[in-house]
């Protein structure tokens, strides 16, 4: 009986199948060649290995083919397995969105990036990837963002898409995937596909057999549909033949490592092994005889993830609804390359001879290696080009958007909480509450989110006003039962607070997703996330990830530092100021007074929307400080640049105290004590160590980068002191956040701050023990003059 033609059985038009097959070959070749060129043909000036991942690319060329040239629509958004970057760029090249020059400069300065980058690549990257796991999880949060926009009536229906991640199977070991899975379930996310390139190899080795089927359970428990694409059509046909079921059972019980090793060895090894294990089973010998060695090898590696029909069929079926779906596509790492299956192939590079053999085998004429349609006849090339031009993703529908700016209330119209004694944390809550009540357009675009610290970071007032965001209305049971509570939390479509569980990775990924709303959907959101300052470290890679792709948000970290007092050493943050200074894409502020905070927040809402802007980190405290009387408004302009003289130094002053944040009272007390001893002692209030440092760096750099030499703000401020002056710097955090100021004009520094773990205690005890009190400041000042 003739074998049923699966093409006809699936109604997959023959041309589509042929073209997709040709594309898969092009992608496999171009990715291999791009990496080969970077490593072996392009001139090397430093002797460093350039790298690239030929095996990881070949593992998913079929998946990318079926996605990009069949399943994806222009409104869909994709996070690509980081080390499949060359395949992604090759696909963009075939689609006319990537240049040959960029491919030739893969991993070279200004060329295509090693891992897809939203900000650095010139082609159409939706999400940057690189740190494995994060690109996967952001798709779930982007779908939540999409739901949020839709619920608020801001989503252009033409822009509603599916959020897709392609990932390596080793990425499934990353904890952030499961943190996200739990959150995604709670929020009932829709329209997400995760496609696992299930080659059962990681970087180091083949992966544990014990995980077979476990992922299905985990994802199904979390409400996902799991589609396992284990078999290619040719395999299914073989299984239907006499003896075929034995072959199938053998494959199913074969260990990952053995399958990989046989894949590397090829047809003769497969035959020998299968005959040894199955030779006495009925019909098996005859079945194997039907294939020559090359055919048997092709059959054995023709798993679901390398079968266009299998993939297309699965994607088409899943596209019928919006259920989040995990595709486990069985693949071969290094498929079709001499590296295939070898356990060490992750960073392996084909030799020049191997590439040459592949070129010949793939019918690519010498000299035409970069040609998109190399080796095809003119008619075939035209047909393929027409096919590609007709695929949905290649359509000219715009994929990058700009959002209308949301007006920020002018100074004077922006709320500044009043009160003699206030903490920056409480004031932050009051500013948001006032904004919420004001009905300003800005307030409508604010969306807050917090990993289970909404109340304790003072977001409660805003949430009372604006409600929780829920895809379905939820009642406030306590309120309905008339049980008194200051929190009135109704949930529904109009809500503006996205509640999260404790996992901090999710906070940053949610901020990243919300913060990409403008470029991805053309609608500006102003996300504000709150977290306890010490737990920034818990999600630090996700924070870096958010900044790396230029997502825009405000991170409010509070409480912070030793000033957390009775909470003790595990909660007292120490080096977060250094994160604030060091993190690109983020500007760190630590205001002492609430009028500064209001000014910083006003600036931040503009900065979050500016083309050359970024995200903002506010390090706040629960310590209540007596607010300062302002004789005038002059402080404002300097504060906006990062620091201002709270007490201007006298002419030729030989010393200044430079401080940041919550220790202001100790600083003022010490300044008073020192007033008689040091003429014209200045007190410099650093509102943003980050801004100040960045400006100093930029100013110094200017002379060499063509921007011209200019005086930095720090230089200008410290210019008020005599050149031989000394500085006492003090911050409730790592002293390096301020001590660098000594280098600006070559001044001596006596630095105060934390360089060991804190402990429980009240502030007088703790500040004395850790030398943050007035006495320590006085001593540090003396130290300047004693040396
Ligand atoms: C957070 C993080 N840790 C480590 C790495 C280094 N790394 C890159 S890929 C990889 C594993 C690759 O295995 P898999 O995800 O299965 O992809 P494959 O190449 O097999 O398709 C590792 C450990 C990384 N990129 N990110
Ligand atoms: Mg793998």
């Amino acid at each position: 009986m003739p074998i049923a033609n699966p093409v006809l059985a699936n109604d997959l038009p023959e041309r589509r199948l042929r073209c997709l097959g040709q594309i898969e070959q092009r992608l496999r070749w171009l990715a291999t060649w791009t990496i080969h060129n970077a490593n072996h043909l392009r001139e090397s000036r430093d002797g460093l290995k350039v790298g690239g991942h030929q095996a990881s690319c070949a593992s998913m060329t079929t998946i990318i083919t079926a996605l990009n040239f069949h399943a994806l629509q222009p409104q869909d958004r994709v996070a690509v397995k980081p080390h499949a970057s060359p395949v992604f760029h090759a696909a963009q090249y075939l689609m006319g969105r990537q240049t040959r020059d960029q491919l030739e400069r893969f991993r070279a300065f200004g060329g295509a990036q090693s891992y897809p980058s939203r900000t650095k690549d010139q082609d159409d990257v939706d999400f940057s990837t690189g740190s494995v796991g994060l690109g996967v999880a952001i798709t779930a949060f982007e779908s939540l963002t999409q739901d949020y926009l839709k619920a608020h009536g801001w989503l252009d229906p033409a822009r509603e898409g599916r959020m897709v991640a392609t990932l390596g199977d080793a990425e499934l070991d990353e904890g952030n995937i499961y943190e996200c899975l739990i959150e995604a379930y709670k929020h009932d996310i829709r329209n997400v596909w995760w496609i696992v390139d299930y080659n059962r190899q990681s970087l180091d080795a083949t992966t544990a057999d014990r995980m077979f089927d476990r992922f299905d359970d985990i994802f199904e428990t979390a409400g996902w549909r799991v589609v396992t694409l284990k078999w290619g059509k040719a395999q299914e046909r073989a299984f239907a033949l006499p003896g075929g079921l034995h072959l199938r059972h053998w494959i199913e019980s074969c260990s990952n490592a053995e399958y990989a090793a046989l894949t590397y060895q090829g047809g003769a090894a497969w035959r020998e092994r299968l005959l040894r294990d199955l030779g006495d089973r009925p019909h098996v010998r005859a079945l194997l005889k039907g294939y020559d060695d090359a055919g048997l090898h092709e059959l054995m590696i023709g798993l679901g993830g390398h079968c266009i029909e299998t993939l297309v069929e699965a994607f088409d079926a899943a596209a019928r609804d919006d259920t989040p779906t995990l595709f486990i596509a069985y693949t071969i790492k290094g498929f079709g390359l001499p590296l295939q299956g070898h356990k060490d192939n992750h960073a392996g590079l084909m030799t020049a001879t191997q590439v040459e053999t592949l070129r010949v085998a793939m019918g690519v004429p010498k000299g035409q290696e970069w040609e998109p349609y190399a080796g095809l006849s003119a008619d075939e090339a035209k047909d393929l080009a027409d096919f590609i031009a007709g695929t949905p993703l290649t359509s000219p529908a715009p994929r990058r958007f700009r959002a209308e700016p949301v007006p920020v209330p002018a100074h004077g119209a922006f709320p500044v909480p009043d009160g003699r004694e206030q903490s920056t944390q409480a004031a932050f809550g009051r500013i948001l509450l006032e904004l919420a009540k004001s009905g300003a357009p800005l307030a409508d675009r604010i969306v807050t989110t917090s990993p289970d610290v909404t109340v304790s970071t003072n977001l409660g007032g805003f949430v009372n006003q604006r409600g929780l965001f829920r895809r379905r209305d939820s009642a406030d049971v306590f309120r309905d039962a008339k049980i008194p509570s200051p929190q009135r939390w109704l949930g529904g479509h109009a809500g503006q607070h996205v509640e999260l569980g404790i996992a901090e990775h999710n906070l940053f990924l949610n901020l990243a997703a919300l913060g990409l709303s403008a470029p991805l959907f053309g609608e500006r959101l102003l996300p504000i996330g709150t977290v306890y300052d010490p737990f920034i470290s818990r999600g630090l890679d996700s924070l870096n990830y958010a900044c790396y792709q230029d997502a825009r948000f405000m991170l409010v970290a509070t409480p912070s530092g030793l000033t957390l007092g009775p909470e003790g050493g595990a909660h007292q943050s120490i080096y977060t100021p250094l994160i604030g200074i060091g993190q690109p894409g983020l500007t760190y502020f630590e205001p002492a007074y609430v009028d500064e905070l209001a000014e910083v927040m006003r600036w931040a809402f503009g900065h979050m929307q500016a083309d050359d802007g970024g995200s903002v980190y506010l390090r706040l405290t629960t310590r209540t400080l007596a607010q300062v009387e302002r004789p005038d408004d002059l402080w404002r302009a300097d504060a906006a640049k990062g620091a201002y003289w709270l007490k201007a130094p006298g002419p030729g002053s030989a010393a200044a105290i430079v401080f940041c944040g919550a220790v202001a009272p100790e600083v003022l007390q010490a300044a008073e004590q020192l007033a008689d001893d040091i003429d014209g002692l200045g007190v410099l209030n650093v509102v943003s160590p980050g801004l100040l440092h960045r400006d100093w760096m930029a100013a110094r750099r200017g002379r060499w980068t063509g921007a011209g030499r200019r005086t930095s703000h720090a230089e200008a401020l410290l210019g008020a002191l005599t050149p031989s002056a000394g500085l006492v710097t003090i911050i409730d955090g790592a002293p390096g956040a301020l001590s660098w100021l000594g280098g600006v004009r070559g001044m001596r520094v006596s630095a105060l701050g934390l360089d060991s773990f804190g402990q429980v205690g009240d502030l007088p005890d703790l500040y004395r023990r850790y030398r943050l009190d007035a006495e320590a400041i006085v001593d540090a000042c003396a130290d300047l003059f004693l040396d």
Side-chain angles (χ1 to χ4, degrees):
M1 205 176 83
I3 297 167
N5 182 340
V7 175
L8 301 177
N10 295 327
D11 291 334
L12 192 62
E14 211 164 323
R15 175 181 179 236
R16 180 173 298 271
L17 193 61
R18 185 184 66 245
C19 289
L20 290 174
Q22 286 168 338
I23 290 169
E24 191 278 332
Q25 294 248 333
R26 306 285 90 219
L27 296 187
R28 186 143 42 100
W29 167 254
L30 282 168
T32 307
W33 181 250
T34 299
I35 297 167
H36 180 67
N37 176 69
N39 284 276
H40 296 302
L41 304 182
R42 200 168 63 211
E43 186 199 357
S44 166
R45 294 183 302 176
D46 53 15
L48 290 181
K49 175 180 173 179
V50 178
H53 301 84
Q54 286 170 328
S56 302
C57 286
S59 187
M60 68 178 308
T61 48
T62 333
I63 293 171
I64 289 203
T65 302
L67 275 177
N68 279 46
F69 299 92
H70 177 79
L72 291 180
Q73 305 297 312
Q75 65 274 23
D76 296 339
R77 300 291 174 179
V78 190
V80 177
K81 181 181 83 165
H83 38 303
S85 169
V87 187
F88 166 79
H89 292 304
Q92 294 275 312
Y93 181 57
L94 291 190
M95 290 160 65
R97 300 225 167 111
Q98 179 58 293
T99 63
R100 172 173 164 180
D101 173 64
Q102 282 285 302
L103 296 186
E104 287 191 69
R105 290 193 289 139
F106 171 63
R107 290 188 171 225
F109 189 63
Q113 298 295 296
S114 39
Y115 307 108
S117 166
R118 272 188 65 72
T119 53
K120 299 193 174 63
D121 271 317
Q122 292 177 10
D123 48 1
D124 200 6
V125 177
D126 292 323
F127 300 106
S128 303
T129 51
S131 178
V132 299
L134 301 180
V136 183
I138 197 175
T139 57
F141 288 101
E142 206 61 68
S143 97
L144 184 60
T145 297
Q146 177 169 273
D147 286 347
Y148 184 94
L149 292 173
K150 197 172 168 185
H152 285 78
W154 295 329
L155 183 67
D156 176 344
R159 295 179 190 175
E160 181 176 1
R162 185 169 282 118
M163 304 298 150
V164 179
T166 57
L167 58 145
D169 49 335
E171 291 194 61
L172 289 170
D173 282 340
E174 288 287 0
N176 84 275
I177 299 260
Y178 304 96
E179 294 181 358
C180 150
L181 211 54
I182 292 169
E183 205 58 66
Y185 183 70
K186 289 191 254 176
H187 287 281
D188 191 18
I189 60 147
R190 310 276 91 203
N191 290 311
V192 178
W193 285 2
W194 290 355
I195 303 155
V196 185
D197 174 357
Y198 199 61
N199 58 29
R200 292 144 287 130
Q201 282 188 248
S202 60
L203 188 157
D204 280 336
T206 43
T207 51
D209 297 318
R210 281 177 66 82
M211 285 313 291
F212 272 139
D213 300 335
R214 295 299 88 203
F215 294 118
D216 308 39
D217 291 357
I218 295 169
F219 277 78
E220 277 163 3
T221 299
W224 286 54
R225 169 173 55 207
V226 178
V227 178
T228 302
L229 306 174
K230 196 162 190 174
W231 311 121
K233 294 292 178 193
Q235 291 178 326
E236 284 177 356
R237 288 196 298 267
F239 299 154
L241 296 173
L245 279 183
H246 294 295
L247 181 64
R248 179 185 166 141
H249 290 149
W250 182 90
I251 298 179
E252 278 175 331
S253 57
C254 184
S255 75
N256 288 343
E258 282 190 287
Y259 209 84
L262 287 165
T263 296
Y264 180 70
Q265 291 167 302
W270 284 116
R271 187 178 305 281
E272 194 215 310
R273 180 60 187 272
L274 290 170
L275 285 174
R276 177 155 35 106
D277 290 357
L278 298 179
D280 58 349
R281 307 292 159 86
H283 308 297
V284 169
R285 282 179 181 273
L287 177 69
L288 297 181
K289 255 203 189 117
Y291 300 89
D292 62 12
D293 280 355
L296 182 60
H297 180 61
E298 203 174 307
L299 175 74
M300 297 302 282
I301 65 170
L303 299 169
H306 295 299
C307 178
I308 293 278
E309 290 174 76
T310 303
L311 289 164
V312 162
E313 211 175 88
F315 293 154
D316 285 353
R320 293 193 193 112
D321 64 35
D322 62 4
T323 309
T325 302
L326 179 80
F327 298 91
I328 301 181
Y330 276 66
T331 52
I332 299 284
K333 193 154 174 171
F335 178 79
L337 307 183
L339 310 165
Q340 61 190 339
H342 196 291
K343 72 181 178 63
D344 305 332
N345 65 9
H346 184 77
L349 291 173
M350 286 162 66
T351 63
T353 316
Q354 287 174 324
V355 171
E356 183 60 11
T357 309
L358 184 74
R359 180 186 68 73
V360 173
M362 288 189 131
V364 176
K366 205 165 185 60
Q368 293 184 28
E369 292 86 353
W370 292 110
E371 293 306 316
Y373 303 120
L376 299 183
S377 70
D379 283 352
E380 281 174 329
K382 176 169 184 327
D383 187 48
L384 186 55
D386 287 348
F387 174 81
I388 291 173
T391 54
L393 201 55
T394 315
S395 80
R399 298 191 82 251
R400 288 252 167 160
F401 303 106
R402 286 183 68 81
E404 285 294 313
V406 182
V408 180
H411 168 63
F414 198 87
V416 184
D418 51 11
R420 280 283 309 137
E421 303 257 327
Q422 295 192 68
S423 75
T424 47
Q425 173 173 318
F428 159 72
R430 287 176 65 193
I431 290 170
L432 277 191
L433 176 62
E434 290 309 316
L435 282 173
K437 285 192 196 159
S438 75
L442 178 83
D444 296 339
R445 293 290 169 150
I446 289 175
V447 45
T448 57
T449 183
S450 181
D452 202 23
V453 289
T454 305
V455 175
S456 49
T457 55
N458 278 53
L459 270 181
F462 181 84
V463 182
N464 281 346
Q465 283 291 317
R466 296 287 174 141
L468 298 175
F469 170 65
R470 290 272 165 80
R471 293 183 70 241
R472 281 179 208 83
D473 288 345
S474 66
D476 183 339
V477 173
F478 278 69
R479 187 175 176 220
D480 294 347
K482 303 207 166 24
I483 300 171
S485 162
Q487 314 299 338
R488 300 181 305 274
W489 287 11
L490 278 175
H493 272 190
Q496 286 179 239
H497 177 71
V498 181
E499 236 185 343
L500 297 174
I502 299 174
E504 280 76 15
H505 268 299
N506 287 337
L507 169 73
F508 294 116
L509 289 169
N510 196 30
L511 288 174
L514 292 164
L516 288 176
S517 165
L520 293 186
F521 300 105
E523 290 292 336
R524 178 67 67 183
L525 292 176
L526 297 165
I528 300 179
T530 64
V531 66
Y532 292 173
D533 196 52
F535 303 130
I536 284 181
S537 321
R538 187 67 178 262
L540 193 53
D541 198 24
S542 298
L543 170 62
N544 178 58
Y545 178 69
C547 293
Y548 183 69
Q549 46 195 329
D550 199 25
R552 303 297 181 81
F553 53 88
M554 187 189 295
L555 170 65
V556 180
T558 179
S560 59
L562 193 72
T563 306
L564 217 56
E567 286 286 302
H571 277 51
Q572 292 160 349
S573 58
I574 293 178
Y575 55 75
T576 44
L578 301 181
I579 294 172
I581 293 176
Q583 177 63 58
L586 195 67
T587 306
Y588 150 51
F589 291 87
E590 186 161 350
Y593 301 112
V594 304
D595 52 0
E596 295 166 8
L597 172 68
E599 197 55 30
V600 166
M601 287 178 69
R602 205 177 67 79
W603 178 86
F605 286 125
H607 187 64
M608 287 155 67
Q609 302 190 64
D611 283 346
D612 59 352
S615 292
V616 176
Y617 158 39
L618 309 184
R619 189 173 187 255
L620 305 185
T621 177
T622 45
R623 186 179 189 196
T624 301
L625 301 194
Q627 302 297 300
V628 281
E629 297 288 337
R630 305 284 190 190
D632 53 44
D633 240 11
L634 294 178
W635 64 276
R636 218 174 270 284
D638 276 357
K641 292 187 259 173
Y644 67 97
W645 287 110
L646 185 60
K647 278 186 188 299
S653 171
I657 307 174
V658 181
F659 84 99
C660 186
V663 291
E666 285 65 30
V667 169
L668 294 179
Q669 197 187 333
E672 214 171 294
Q673 289 175 26
L674 289 163
D676 289 342
D677 297 324
I678 303 175
D679 268 355
L681 176 75
V683 174
L684 187 67
N685 181 357
V686 180
V687 181
S688 171
L691 207 53
L692 209 57
H693 188 265
R694 211 164 275 167
D695 170 68
W696 176 54
M697 293 286 289
R700 302 293 308 185
R701 219 169 25 228
R703 176 180 285 157
W704 315 109
T705 55
R709 178 81 172 91
R710 65 175 171 85
T711 306
S712 67
H713 187 48
E715 254 174 302
L717 288 169
L718 296 176
L721 304 173
T722 187
S724 60
L727 307 176
V728 172
T729 62
I730 176 165
I731 180 171
D732 180 1
L738 292 180
S739 62
W740 61 270
L741 278 160
V744 172
R745 280 185 174 269
M747 292 169 173
R748 280 162 301 127
V749 170
S750 205
L752 298 172
L754 308 177
D755 57 6
S756 60
F757 288 116
Q759 56 187 302
V760 290
D762 66 5
L763 290 190
D765 278 345
L766 290 174
Y767 278 16
R768 186 173 332 107
R769 161 68 181 76
Y770 290 87
R771 296 182 49 75
L772 292 179
D773 60 358
E775 205 179 316
I777 298 171
V778 171
D779 288 348
C781 228
D783 192 44
L784 289 174
F785 297 102
L786 290 174
D787 274 347

